[in-house]
């Protein structure tokens, strides 16, 4: 026995080492891929910087060219003005010189008569004497010079953006209740550059570190601004859930936190079609009255049985739920019943049932294993249920051992079933308001199977639900609203 324990421990340790080796190889591969991605992103960032600098250079060069064109235009305008004044002045000067050279009196008289013309011309060209002989604009372009000393120092100071540290999940503050998970975390040190957090989770049946093989993929929840988040609308159809968190700034995401594993075990079962009445159509968690389909199924089944000696896969005793089903016969007669395929042998469990609005009659409850194929829920000492009858008028009652107690309360749209096997309690609730409908108190001596009776209509069963907090609270403060099964009246 000691050697067997050592061998078993060694086998488990080997499995853990193999798992860790797989994780290391996977991590090495991720390092290579992530390094390549980081280089690509670096190239993109520098290409973007080059693009900005090139665009800025073009814009500034264009500004210099515009300033050059403005100055040249101003100087050319001034040059043209001076050229015109000089040309006019030279013409006048030539005329004056010619007048001074005349010796003939007659011609001189004519010149005297022309004096007023010369005077007027002198006045006309007087603007040449008022011309500014200073350039209107300077040839200096120093105001277009740049100094990138500061920018160079800034660029030389560019480093990798600090990667946010991995958050730390506060396991003590995490809460699993009402099919929701509230997870809290904190940063190991204050970091004002954190922009948001990313939460990832995945379901698993393995406790401890996440495994690479046979695991579901991580499901992300992005852009969480707070350091707490509640996952809701979950179906707890596995034993555990892995969770991890990473912090992100504007450019980069940090490492994930160490993953934590929270227990999310809940009661999960399907409807056992091998137990159902032939007039019921069963699909996993839905059962529907089918008065004609059953006969056709019986004929087909009879032909299959004649042509094959192989047992149906659904009846295979190797199935993990075969122990709950056994080799029972289908329900028959007026027992339009189907059972769950998973037995309750201990603990507290909860599931919900919703009936179609046009459903004429249905029962919801539990029964010991292997009831008679003609037994009806609540009419034996080994089954407990609540029964709703919508034929002609609505009646609502609790049934056990062929006794019934009328429940003078409205029938809810959804019924919650709470079973405390060890505490000997079976309670029914309004699943929406969590108001108590009825409670059976007894000592369960055998494993229980969920049971459902349906006539003219259909039922939908929801499993993978944890016991709601409101139900737990009501259990502590229950005031005997439902009474015990011993107080039920005899069925007429």
């Amino acid at each position: 026995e000691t050697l067997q324990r050592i061998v078993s421990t060694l086998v488990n340790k080997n499995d853990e080492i193999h798992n860790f080796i797989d994780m290391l190889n996977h991590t090495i591969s991720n390092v290579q891929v992530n390094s390549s991605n980081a280089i690509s992103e670096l190239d993109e960032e520098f290409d973007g910087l080059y693009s900005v600098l090139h665009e800025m250079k073009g814009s500034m060069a264009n500004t210099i060219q515009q300033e050059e064109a403005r100055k040249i235009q101003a100087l050319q305008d001034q040059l043209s003005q001076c050229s015109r004044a000089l040309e006019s002045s030279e013409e006048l000067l030539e005329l004056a010189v010619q007048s001074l050279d005349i010796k003939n009196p007659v011609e001189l008289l004519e010149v005297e008569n022309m004096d007023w013309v010369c005077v007027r011309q002198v006045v006309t060209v007087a603007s040449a004497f008022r011309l500014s002989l200073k350039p209107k604009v300077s040839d200096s372009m120093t105001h277009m010079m740049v100094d990138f000393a500061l920018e160079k120092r800034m660029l030389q100071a560019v480093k990798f953006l600090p990667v946010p540290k991995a958050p730390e999940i506060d396991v003590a503050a995490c809460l699993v209740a009402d099919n929701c998970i509230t997870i809290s975390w904190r940063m190991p040190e204050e970091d004002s550059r954190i922009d948001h957090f990313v939460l990832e989770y995945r379901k698993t049946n393995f406790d401890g570190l996440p495994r690479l093989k046979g695991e579901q993929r991580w499901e992300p929840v992005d852009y969480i601004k707070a350091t707490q988040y509640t996952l809701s609308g979950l179906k707890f159809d596995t034993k555990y859930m892995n969770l991890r968190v990473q912090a992100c700034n504007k450019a980069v995401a940090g490492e994930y936190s160490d993953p934590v594993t929270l227990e999310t075990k809940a009661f999960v079962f399907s409807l056992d079609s091998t137990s159902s009445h032939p007039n019921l159509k069963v699909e996993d968690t839905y059962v529907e009255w089918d008065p004609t389909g059953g006969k056709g199924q019986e004929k087909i089944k009879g032909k299959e049985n004649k042509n094959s000696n192989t047992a149906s896969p659904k009846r295979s005793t190797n199935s993990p739920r075969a122990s709950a089903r056994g080799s029972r016969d289908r329900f028959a007669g007026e027992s339009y019943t189907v059972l769950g395929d998973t037995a309750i042998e201990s603990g507290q469990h909860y599931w919900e049932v919703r009936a179609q609005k046009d459903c004429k009659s249905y029962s919801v409850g539990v029964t010991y294993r292997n009831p008679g194929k003609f037994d009806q829920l609540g009419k034996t000492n080994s089954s407990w249920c609540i029964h709703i009858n919508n034929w002609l008028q609505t009646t609502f009652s609790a049934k056990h051992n062929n006794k019934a107690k009328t429940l003078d309360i409205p029938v809810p749209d959804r019924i919650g079933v709470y079973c405390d096997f060890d505490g000997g309690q079976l309670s029914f609730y309004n699943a929406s308001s969590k108001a108590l409908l009825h409670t059976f108190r007894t000592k369960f001596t055998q494993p229980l199977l969920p049971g459902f009776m349906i006539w003219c209509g259909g039922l939908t069963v929801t499993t993978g639900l944890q016991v709601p907090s409101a139900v737990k609270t009501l259990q502590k403060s229950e005031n005997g609203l439902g009474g015990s099964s011993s107080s039920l009246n005899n069925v007429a």
Side-chain angles (χ1 to χ4, degrees):
E1 292 177 358
T2 302
L3 180 59
Q4 182 63 40
R5 287 197 299 270
I6 294 174
V7 169
S8 177
T9 303
L10 183 59
V11 168
N12 292 335
K13 191 63 178 179
N14 286 346
D15 289 340
E16 293 179 4
I17 294 174
H18 281 300
N19 181 44
F20 186 62
I21 289 174
D22 289 340
M23 183 176 293
L24 290 177
N25 288 327
H26 186 68
T27 303
I28 291 172
S29 177
N30 282 345
V31 167
Q32 295 171 338
V33 172
N34 292 337
S35 296
S36 178
N37 292 339
I39 292 175
S40 298
E41 291 178 1
L42 183 66
D43 288 340
E44 291 179 4
E45 290 294 330
F46 271 90
D47 288 343
L49 185 59
Y50 299 150
S51 177
V52 170
L53 290 174
H54 183 72
E55 183 178 347
M56 289 179 61
K57 178 183 177 182
S59 176
M60 297 178 78
N62 185 54
T63 301
I64 293 174
Q65 291 171 350
Q66 290 177 353
E67 179 70 2
E68 176 191 12
R70 184 188 69 81
K71 285 193 171 187
I72 290 176
Q73 183 64 45
L75 293 172
Q76 286 179 342
D77 291 344
Q78 191 175 14
L79 181 61
S80 298
Q81 185 180 7
C82 290
S83 297
R84 289 193 299 271
L86 181 61
E87 181 180 356
S88 176
S89 177
E90 287 178 346
E91 291 178 355
L92 179 61
L93 181 61
E94 182 180 359
L95 178 62
V97 171
Q98 291 176 356
S99 299
L100 292 175
D101 290 340
I102 296 175
K103 302 300 182 181
N104 188 322
V106 177
E107 293 180 359
L108 184 60
L109 181 60
E110 292 178 356
V111 171
E112 289 178 354
N113 292 332
M114 292 291 292
D115 282 346
W116 64 274
V117 177
C118 293
V119 172
R120 187 173 64 181
Q121 288 179 340
V122 170
V123 173
T124 301
V125 299
S127 59
F129 297 101
R130 295 195 301 270
L131 281 176
S132 174
L133 300 182
K134 180 181 179 179
K136 289 184 177 180
V137 295
S138 170
D139 60 354
S140 173
M141 296 292 286
T142 56
H143 63 291
M144 290 295 178
M145 303 302 291
V146 296
D147 180 9
F148 284 148
L150 177 60
E151 286 74 11
K152 288 179 180 178
R153 288 195 296 270
M154 292 176 62
L155 286 173
Q156 290 169 351
V158 170
K159 298 179 181 178
F160 290 108
L161 187 69
V163 178
K165 295 185 179 295
E168 298 174 351
I169 297 179
D170 186 0
V171 179
C174 295
L175 177 65
V176 180
D178 301 321
N179 284 68
C180 297
I181 295 179
T182 299
I183 181 169
S184 300
W185 60 88
R186 56 177 174 267
M187 295 300 296
E189 58 186 47
E190 188 69 23
D191 189 346
S192 60
R193 287 169 291 195
I194 298 298
D195 178 69
H196 65 276
F197 297 92
V198 177
L199 168 66
E200 291 192 344
Y201 66 95
R202 66 180 177 186
K203 298 177 180 180
T204 176
N205 283 317
F206 302 104
D207 192 5
L209 293 174
R211 304 189 178 192
L212 295 179
K213 296 181 179 179
E215 288 285 7
Q216 298 185 34
R217 64 183 180 87
W218 290 101
E219 298 288 343
V221 181
D222 206 348
Y223 295 102
I224 301 173
K225 295 295 185 178
T227 56
Q228 178 175 300
Y229 189 81
T230 298
L231 290 168
S232 58
L234 301 172
K235 183 175 182 180
F236 288 4
D237 49 2
T238 54
K239 294 181 180 179
Y240 305 98
M241 185 174 290
N242 299 140
L243 302 108
R244 64 183 186 182
V245 182
Q246 69 176 165
C248 305
N249 54 33
K250 290 292 186 180
V252 65
E255 294 291 331
Y256 283 100
S257 65
D258 291 334
V260 299
T261 302
L262 301 180
E263 185 173 1
T264 57
K265 186 177 180 180
F267 185 46
V268 181
F269 66 90
S270 298
L271 299 178
D272 181 9
S273 60
T274 66
S275 71
S276 67
H277 191 283
N279 289 100
L280 297 182
K281 181 181 179 181
V282 177
E283 296 180 1
D284 195 19
T285 56
Y286 178 74
V287 55
E288 183 178 38
W289 167 260
D290 185 10
T292 60
K295 295 179 180 179
Q297 292 173 7
E298 283 185 336
K299 292 180 180 179
I300 294 173
K301 182 180 176 181
K303 292 181 180 179
E304 289 178 348
N305 290 339
K306 290 180 180 179
N307 297 330
S308 175
N309 294 324
T310 305
S312 170
K314 292 185 178 181
R315 288 183 175 269
S316 172
T317 56
N318 294 327
S319 170
R321 290 172 173 171
S323 59
R325 296 195 298 262
S327 57
R328 70 172 72 92
D329 294 327
R330 284 178 176 268
F331 287 98
E334 295 184 356
S335 182
Y336 305 113
T337 305
V338 62
L339 302 178
D341 63 358
T342 304
I344 299 173
E345 301 184 25
S346 63
Q348 302 176 28
H349 308 282
Y350 180 84
W351 61 96
E352 294 181 355
V353 182
R354 180 191 292 273
Q356 292 180 345
K357 292 184 178 180
D358 59 350
C359 192
K360 298 301 181 184
S361 178
Y362 62 96
S363 298
V364 178
V366 297
T367 179
Y368 286 156
R369 285 175 173 170
N370 301 320
K373 65 180 182 178
F374 296 104
D375 289 347
Q376 298 182 27
L377 290 178
K379 290 192 175 183
T380 66
N381 62 359
S382 59
S383 62
W384 300 258
C385 74
I386 56 174
H387 176 73
I388 296 89
N389 188 347
N390 289 322
W391 186 253
L392 298 181
Q393 62 181 10
T394 300
T395 59
F396 193 16
S397 59
K399 292 184 175 183
H400 169 64
N401 199 21
N402 208 25
K403 296 179 181 179
K405 179 179 180 180
T406 300
L407 305 179
D408 190 17
I409 48 180
V411 179
D413 292 334
R414 289 185 298 124
I415 297 173
V417 184
Y418 167 76
C419 179
D420 181 359
F421 186 91
D422 302 316
Q425 184 172 331
L426 178 68
S427 297
F428 299 88
Y429 291 87
N430 181 322
S432 299
S433 66
K434 298 302 184 288
L436 181 63
L437 305 176
H438 185 78
T439 294
F440 291 104
R441 300 183 186 277
T442 186
K443 182 178 180 180
F444 299 120
T445 59
Q446 299 179 37
L448 295 170
L449 289 172
F452 310 88
M453 187 282 294
I454 182 72
W455 179 65
C456 291
L459 294 177
T460 299
V461 183
T462 303
T463 70
L465 303 177
Q466 293 187 319
V467 179
S469 301
V471 170
K472 291 182 179 179
T473 302
L474 285 170
Q475 292 302 314
K476 295 179 181 179
S477 60
E478 186 180 349
N479 57 9
L481 175 64
S484 65
S485 58
S486 59
S487 65
L488 298 180
N489 298 322
N490 290 330
V491 178

